[in-house]
Amino acid sequence: MSTTFIILILILGFLITFQIAKASEYVAVMRGEEKVRKQTNKINGFMLLAFLVAGLIGVYYCNEQLKGKILGEAASDHGDKIDTMLYITLALTFIVFVITQILLFWFAYKYQESDDRKPYYFPHNNKLEVIWTVIPAIALTVLVGFGIYYWFGITGEAPKNSMLVEVTGKQFGWEFRYPGKDGELGKRYYKLTNEAAGNPLGQVWEDAANHDDVYATQEMHLVVGKPVKLIITSKDVIHDVGLAHFRMKMDAVPGTPTTMWFTPKFTTKEMKKKYGDNFVYEISCDQMCGKGHYSMRGTILVETQEEFDRWMASQKPQYYTAFPDKDPDNPKMAMPADSAKAMTAAVKP
Amino acid sequence: MSNEANLHGHTEVVTTHPVHHDEHHVHHHKETFVTKYIFSQDHKMIARQFLITGIIWAIIGGLFSVLFRLQLGYPEQSFPILETFFGRWAAGGKIVPEFYYALVTMHGTILVFFVLTAGLSGTFANLLIPFQIGARDMASPFLNMLSYWFFFLASIVMMSSLFIETGPAAGGWTMYPPLSAVRQASLGSKLGSDLWLVSMALFIVSSLLGGLNYISTILNMRTKGMSMTRMPLTMWAIFFTAVLGVLSFPVLLSGAILLLFDRNLGTSFYLSDIVVNGEILSNEGGSAILYQHLFWFLGHPEVYIILLPAMGMVSEILSVNSRKPIFGYMAMVGSLFAICILAFLVWAHHMFVTGLNPFLGAFFVLLTLLIAVPSAIKVFNWLTTLWRGNIRFTPATLFAIGFVSLFISGGLTGIFLGNSTIDIHLHDTMFVVAHFHIVMGVASFFGMFAGVYHWFPKMFARYLNNTLGYIHFWVTIIGSYLIFWPMHYQGLAGIPRRYLDKRAWASFNQFADLDKMITVVSIIVFAVQLMFVFNFFYSIFKGRKVRTQNPWKANTLEWTTPIVAGHGNWEGEIPEVHRWAYDYGKDGRDFIPQTEPIGENESKDH
């Protein structure tokens, strides 16, 4: 009902506008086209100036309204660098923006048609052109210099003491794997993937490094102040691990693992104190991946080393989920070791 | 370059095509409805065909954006009108996510390729090249006709994909595999994606036929005295656009064909290690990133294919209406050339976070930010062109000024995204959406509108209604800034693109009011575009008649043709050119057409 109403109003408004427009054309013919054109020219000249003033106020107002809604302080050391680079660029471009927009609309207003003015024949001036080639070139060299410096810092090798987490994207959720005590992630082969047999990631069980790897979904645990290196991959289509609070992002590409590393600066608890109880570190998928793209959400819990160790101790390696009989904590060791081996063989292609 | 020889060459070519008119007897053959309006080989008619097809596509593509904005602005509400339009895809008045993504994909594809490439280049290259260089028609009118009809075929295929059971392609306008390659991954990856790829292949053929024609016409068929450096900047812009298209579209074609192979023939160019919904695929060894390289090797030049013709027309229109020469003609040509070269060397800046080697990334940062230098030169030259002019604010002038404003705004945000460090945070967020809509979408549309208002009298021998033109301009520029300026903040907050409902997120749900505002403004702006379309079609038949040959008092050759130019453009000889196109306000004279010989006492300049 209301839709029909809105459409009717639009059509009505349009008809009225059209009649006025048509009438003004006739009026122009009657009153002398040249005279009317000159009047219209004045109106548009004034409007351009008004647009400039209103626009600059609008830019300021928009910033006042929205600056509180963008994410607060970066929650990782790399995030700080990215924010610094962002503000350097913002300062520089904002100056250029204001100057050029003012010149554009001011010139348009100032040099609007007038019978008294003769346009100035000014086809070129080499000095001016050199100036405005060189100045942007210098400004951009500065930006490129800072940019590449930070870029290499962020994308360089992860520190030796980094913890390792593997992130796997799938339609539509996140899976994580921690290396366990040996600090090493076991091999995977995608054709071994078999959720029913307790092997959602396709871990190769012959690889002993897999035996203590811990599998988890949806929530990733990280340690505050400790660098973390993420190994990122995907099972089906391209996803992207987007960590807005840490200012980090990396695609998850099936068949081509990628990496990124950073150091979380604040625990989730500290962030809750700053930004309220609703705060949570979120993992967003930033690469269109199908119908559930907008809801492909994961979370990160940043905690102290002790809390992390306690959590890790409570986790059971995925190996024991796949082979409950191998689990030392399992009261009934139903299967002898040999038949477990036979089962592994059966899973192989 | 001997123009006479070319003209003779042209005559010989003409005699081999019986359908074509003998150029010395322009109205000799009787034209049927079919040869005049449908399978026309007249560049002016082909331009109109491109423009009108482009307008129809623009309405469809624009309408899609308004309808999915409803969903974005009011995720909790349902709109019966959506069900009216989309049926089961919006059962109960809410767009289902799969169809939302199909709409986004179609919106992008339609506007980037069908409207701003074919509709913009196709229209103005065809209309202006023979007119402004002084030729009777294109080098090959027949290929020119084929170019339009391949575009038409591509349109039919794309349009048909909207109506199939599994819906149109839904992988985004970039169609990254594996999403677009694996049928099980999404509904849109079934038949819709095959149709998308076939349509794009046809489109590329159209674009290549057109582009080769534009290049050969500009190089070979300029009239006597029209040296390359006497050409209006529109010609230079269209020339570089065509070069970009001819060199980059074939790469997209190869990318699309490999994707078709992966989809239908079981190859693994882009596929490896895939388990989709528990089903293990046998493909191994392919690289999903390979497609992105092939795609963006076209994709980045593509944004300049869209932008350069707009730049050319804006240069011309600003100069004519400031009554003052364009400032720094050679610098304008040089910067177009620089942009054209650099456009091929920056594609990987779309791929900074794909796992690209960071060392390689650094080079792409450098080359990307380099583009800001020629862009800055262009902006400063436009500003200086306005400086101390005597500016007439025709609707075309206003749109040209609007173009410069938007180009500055959108260009500056490109400096953020081209810097890989910042791109890590802003990549694939709403910031990107805001950036490219301003600089490539809206700005190019402004260039196109400027062109339509300026050359409408030449195309249809009537004027568009001015009052509607002014309303169109003011609502559109205010609306565009209202829609896209605040969107940058959503991007700074890290909100990813293509999220149709953000309510489930703790970090991204703070902009609900803003999203509502943007939706309302976009409806208004769209309504005003419909008003423009009405003005366009109404004025073709009922607009004020053009009574003078040269209504804008411009120097270029198209205004020396009769008000209604026949096939062959000039009656009698093609005029000879004696000067560049920008002698406005020289020696106290308002304007000096290109056809006027240099006077004895004329001050020396160009």
Side-chain angles (χ1 to χ4, degrees):
Chain A
M1 186 57 216
S2 62
T3 320
T4 329
F5 190 62
I6 290 172
I7 292 174
L8 273 178
I9 287 188
L10 280 176
I11 292 175
L12 193 69
F14 171 70
L15 282 176
I16 294 170
T17 319
F18 176 66
Q19 289 307 325
I20 294 173
K22 213 51 213 160
S24 67
E25 207 169 50
Y26 294 132
V27 169
V29 174
M30 281 193 307
R31 286 179 51 200
E33 289 192 45
E34 195 55 21
K35 194 175 148 203
V36 172
R37 192 182 68 73
K38 281 185 177 159
Q39 258 176 13
T40 322
N41 219 56
K42 286 213 173 69
I43 296 171
N44 277 301
F46 175 77
M47 294 268 284
L48 285 166
L49 188 65
F51 178 73
L52 171 70
V53 176
L56 290 178
I57 295 171
V59 167
Y60 173 78
Y61 175 78
C62 177
N63 187 52
E64 286 301 304
Q65 290 292 308
L66 298 179
K67 70 180 177 192
K69 293 191 174 181
I70 60 178
L71 303 177
E73 194 185 345
S76 77
D77 55 341
H78 289 167
D80 287 338
K81 290 178 186 164
I82 290 167
D83 282 0
T84 312
M85 192 64 230
L86 187 77
Y87 286 114
I88 294 174
T89 310
L90 189 62
L92 212 67
T93 50
F94 187 70
I95 295 168
V96 178
F97 171 80
V98 172
I99 292 175
T100 47
Q101 297 283 5
I102 288 179
L103 287 181
L104 174 68
F105 288 100
W106 173 250
F107 284 170
Y109 169 76
K110 175 98 194 297
Y111 300 107
Q112 59 178 285
E113 188 178 36
S114 139
D115 291 339
D116 314 329
R117 187 179 302 113
K118 281 266 167 278
Y120 174 48
Y121 187 80
F122 188 45
H124 66 96
N125 179 320
N126 292 341
K127 202 178 183 183
L128 273 181
E129 284 165 76
V130 168
I131 290 175
W132 59 57
T133 309
V134 170
I135 291 181
I138 293 172
L140 288 163
T141 312
V142 174
L143 291 180
V144 170
F146 275 110
I148 292 180
Y149 172 73
Y150 287 135
W151 169 247
F152 282 139
I154 294 167
T155 56
E157 280 293 308
K160 286 273 181 307
N161 64 340
S162 311
M163 65 183 277
L164 203 60
V165 185
E166 183 192 65
V167 184
T168 305
K170 64 165 188 186
Q171 287 180 328
F172 298 93
W174 301 101
E175 294 169 298
F176 309 104
R177 186 159 67 121
Y178 303 84
K181 286 200 185 69
D182 62 355
E184 205 180 318
L185 289 162
K187 287 199 184 71
R188 283 171 66 177
Y189 182 54
Y190 81 104
K191 284 191 177 168
L192 300 178
T193 307
N194 188 341
E195 296 221 16
N199 195 359
L201 293 177
Q203 284 167 278
V204 181
W205 296 127
E206 282 77 15
D207 183 0
N210 263 321
H211 293 186
D212 61 350
D213 289 0
V214 169
Y215 169 84
T217 58
Q218 295 312 338
E219 185 160 63
M220 173 159 52
H221 288 250
L222 297 179
V223 179
V224 68
K226 184 169 185 179
V228 54
K229 178 175 176 181
L230 301 183
I231 294 173
I232 300 163
T233 178
S234 163
K235 274 183 179 170
D236 37 39
V237 303
I238 301 179
H239 302 278
D240 183 289
V241 181
L243 309 176
H245 296 99
F246 301 109
R247 312 283 192 266
M248 295 304 290
K249 191 170 291 156
M250 182 54 81
D251 278 358
V253 185
T256 318
T258 55
T259 63
M260 76 176 167
W261 71 273
F262 59 94
T263 312
K265 277 168 60 189
F266 308 110
T267 62
T268 302
K269 273 187 198 142
E270 284 167 331
M271 290 300 265
K272 277 185 196 291
K273 261 183 211 149
K274 268 195 218 172
Y275 297 105
D277 270 348
N278 289 331
F279 178 86
V280 52
Y281 286 118
E282 283 174 314
I283 308 172
S284 57
C285 178
D286 280 43
Q287 183 66 60
M288 161 100 102
C289 60
K291 66 178 173 186
H293 172 54
Y294 70 101
S295 58
M296 188 165 158
R297 177 175 178 268
T299 55
I300 296 177
L301 192 68
V302 180
E303 50 203 356
T304 60
Q305 185 73 51
E306 290 150 29
E307 288 167 323
F308 179 82
D309 290 344
R310 213 173 310 139
W311 172 78
M312 190 44 99
S314 72
Q315 297 298 305
K316 198 177 274 186
Q318 187 65 14
Y319 185 60
Y320 296 145
T321 313
F323 305 104
D325 53 308
K326 297 285 180 85
D327 188 349
D329 298 342
N330 194 340
K332 40 180 181 158
M333 306 268 275
M335 257 190 285
D338 286 345
S339 66
K341 243 179 207 154
M343 191 171 160
T344 327
V347 174
K348 262 168 68 176
Chain B
M1 205 171 292
S2 162
N3 191 52
E4 281 308 309
N6 289 325
L7 280 177
H8 283 300
H10 182 57
T11 319
E12 277 161 26
V13 172
V14 167
T15 50
T16 61
H17 293 285
V19 193
H20 197 89
H21 301 273
D22 186 336
E23 56 189 50
H24 296 295
H25 305 279
V26 173
H27 297 290
H28 189 72
H29 292 286
K30 211 173 172 166
E31 285 186 298
T32 64
F33 180 82
V34 171
T35 59
K36 186 166 180 200
Y37 293 107
I38 300 176
F39 294 108
S40 171
Q41 298 190 22
D42 182 355
H43 70 100
K44 299 182 287 295
M45 186 55 70
I46 294 172
R48 285 174 223 164
Q49 290 173 330
F50 267 111
L51 182 56
I52 289 170
T53 316
I55 287 177
I56 292 168
W57 271 122
I59 296 171
I60 296 171
L63 180 68
F64 282 178
S65 72
V66 169
L67 293 175
F68 68 66
R69 270 284 355 153
L70 281 179
Q71 177 90 11
L72 261 176
Y74 301 89
E76 69 287 349
Q77 277 186 39
S78 60
F79 297 90
I81 189 172
L82 292 175
E83 197 171 354
T84 317
F85 272 107
F86 300 135
R88 70 193 161 85
W89 292 115
K94 268 184 191 302
I95 302 176
V96 300
E98 294 217 304
F99 195 64
Y100 178 90
Y101 288 120
L103 286 176
V104 186
T105 305
M106 284 298 118
H107 168 76
T109 308
I110 289 171
L111 285 160
V112 168
F113 292 111
F114 290 14
V115 180
L116 290 172
T117 304
L120 178 59
S121 279
T123 303
F124 290 102
N126 277 305
L127 179 73
L128 295 178
I129 291 175
F131 268 149
Q132 290 197 332
I133 65 168
R136 301 228 177 254
D137 206 318
M138 285 292 189
S140 170
F142 181 71
L143 285 189
N144 213 24
M145 177 183 84
L146 282 185
S147 161
Y148 173 75
W149 286 102
F150 268 101
F151 170 49
F152 188 81
L153 269 179
S155 298
I156 296 284
V157 175
M158 193 63 82
M159 188 81 84
S160 65
S161 80
L162 296 174
F163 297 98
I164 59 176
E165 193 191 353
T166 48
W173 78 280
T174 52
M175 289 287 278
Y176 284 175
L179 178 60
S180 62
V182 179
R183 283 160 206 277
Q184 300 91 317
S186 126
L187 268 187
S189 303
K190 297 189 196 300
L191 183 59
S193 290
D194 284 320
L195 291 175
W196 189 96
L197 291 165
V198 169
S199 171
M200 281 318 295
L202 290 168
F203 182 87
I204 291 166
V205 172
S206 153
S207 170
L208 290 178
L209 290 175
L212 289 170
N213 224 341
Y214 306 153
I215 294 172
S216 44
T217 310
I218 291 179
L219 288 181
N220 295 318
M221 296 181 58
R222 300 186 311 277
T223 185
K224 195 174 175 192
M226 180 67 87
S227 60
M228 289 296 275
T229 49
R230 281 182 181 167
M231 293 198 304
L233 285 170
T234 30
M235 290 300 100
W236 275 109
I238 286 169
F239 176 70
F240 285 126
T241 306
V243 171
L244 281 173
V246 166
L247 294 180
S248 65
F249 264 118
V251 180
L252 178 65
L253 184 64
S254 66
I257 288 173
L258 296 187
L259 187 49
L260 269 175
F261 283 2
D262 271 8
R263 289 177 54 76
N264 297 306
L265 302 180
T267 56
S268 307
F269 292 107
Y270 306 132
L271 305 178
S272 188
D273 297 24
I274 291 171
V275 184
V276 60
N277 300 326
E279 187 184 338
I280 297 168
L281 303 188
S282 57
N283 311 68
E284 279 185 86
S287 162
I289 301 301
L290 170 64
Y291 174 87
Q292 299 188 17
H293 282 290
L294 294 175
F295 181 88
W296 287 114
F297 191 82
L298 158 91
H300 198 81
E302 171 66 21
V303 310
Y304 291 102
I305 289 172
I306 288 172
L307 202 55
L308 290 189
M311 287 177 165
M313 291 192 289
V314 163
S315 306
E316 172 72 17
I317 290 165
L318 281 182
S319 170
V320 170
N321 290 296
S322 309
R323 314 309 297 155
K324 201 174 159 276
I326 189 79
F327 180 80
Y329 175 87
M330 286 314 285
M332 289 304 236
V333 175
S335 55
L336 283 174
F337 179 67
I339 289 175
C340 180
I341 298 288
L342 288 172
F344 284 109
L345 303 173
V346 298
W347 79 91
H349 71 213
H350 299 269
M351 302 165 58
F352 285 140
V353 300
T354 55
L356 182 79
N357 184 330
F359 184 66
L360 208 57
F363 284 97
F364 281 98
V365 173
L366 177 68
L367 290 162
T368 301
L369 294 202
L370 260 184
I371 288 199
V373 175
S375 307
I377 294 173
K378 295 200 86 70
V379 168
F380 288 124
N381 285 3
W382 285 320
L383 292 179
T384 317
T385 303
L386 290 175
W387 179 69
R388 292 185 67 184
N390 201 22
I391 308 166
R392 301 181 310 209
F393 298 118
T394 63
T397 323
L398 289 176
F399 274 107
I401 292 172
F403 170 91
V404 178
S405 171
L406 290 159
F407 181 67
I408 295 170
S409 306
L412 288 172
T413 51
I415 294 177
F416 290 70
L417 293 169
N419 204 326
S420 54
T421 304
I422 308 177
D423 187 65
I424 298 173
H425 178 49
L426 295 180
H427 190 88
D428 266 330
T429 63
M430 293 303 283
F431 193 94
V432 178
V433 176
H435 159 73
F436 74 73
H437 272 92
I438 288 185
V439 77
M440 174 180 94
V442 187
S444 299
F445 256 106
F446 269 50
M448 187 169 171
F449 287 138
V452 171
Y453 280 99
H454 192 76
W455 280 288
F456 193 86
K458 196 67 249 169
M459 286 180 118
F460 298 105
R462 288 171 190 271
Y463 293 99
L464 285 162
N465 183 300
N466 264 340
T467 312
L468 290 183
Y470 291 127
I471 296 172
H472 179 208
F473 168 74
W474 283 111
V475 175
T476 310
I477 190 162
I478 294 169
S480 306
Y481 270 116
L482 281 177
I483 292 170
F484 295 114
W485 187 270
M487 220 179 249
H488 291 100
Y489 286 84
Q490 295 187 325
L492 289 171
I495 297 183
R497 297 168 71 172
R498 296 157 171 163
Y499 271 27
L500 57 124
D501 186 349
K502 303 183 272 273
R503 284 173 297 167
W505 296 81
S507 323
F508 304 145
N509 63 2
Q510 67 274 45
F511 289 104
D513 292 338
L514 179 63
D515 272 327
K516 287 188 177 56
M517 188 278 279
I518 292 177
T519 299
V520 171
V521 176
S522 68
I523 293 172
I524 296 170
V525 171
F526 181 68
V528 169
Q529 305 316 306
L530 290 182
M531 193 185 79
F532 162 75
V533 173
F534 178 83
N535 188 10
F536 181 87
F537 285 107
Y538 180 87
S539 302
I540 290 178
F541 303 104
K542 298 271 181 159
R544 205 156 40 97
K545 276 197 176 134
V546 176
R547 297 188 197 283
T548 55
Q549 207 178 6
N550 188 357
W552 311 124
K553 300 197 174 83
N555 289 341
T556 41
L557 287 179
E558 73 267 33
W559 307 108
T560 63
T561 59
I563 293 175
V564 183
H567 197 168
N569 296 342
W570 285 270
E571 287 163 0
E573 291 287 303
I574 300 179
E576 188 182 336
V577 165
H578 299 279
R579 59 178 74 237
W580 73 329
Y582 296 104
D583 272 339
Y584 294 99
K586 190 182 186 189
D587 297 340
R589 286 182 62 186
D590 187 25
F591 70 110
I592 313 176
Q594 283 190 281
T595 49
E596 192 177 310
I598 306 273
E600 275 179 28
N601 303 321
E602 200 173 320
S603 57
K604 253 183 124 171
D605 194 81
H606 211 81

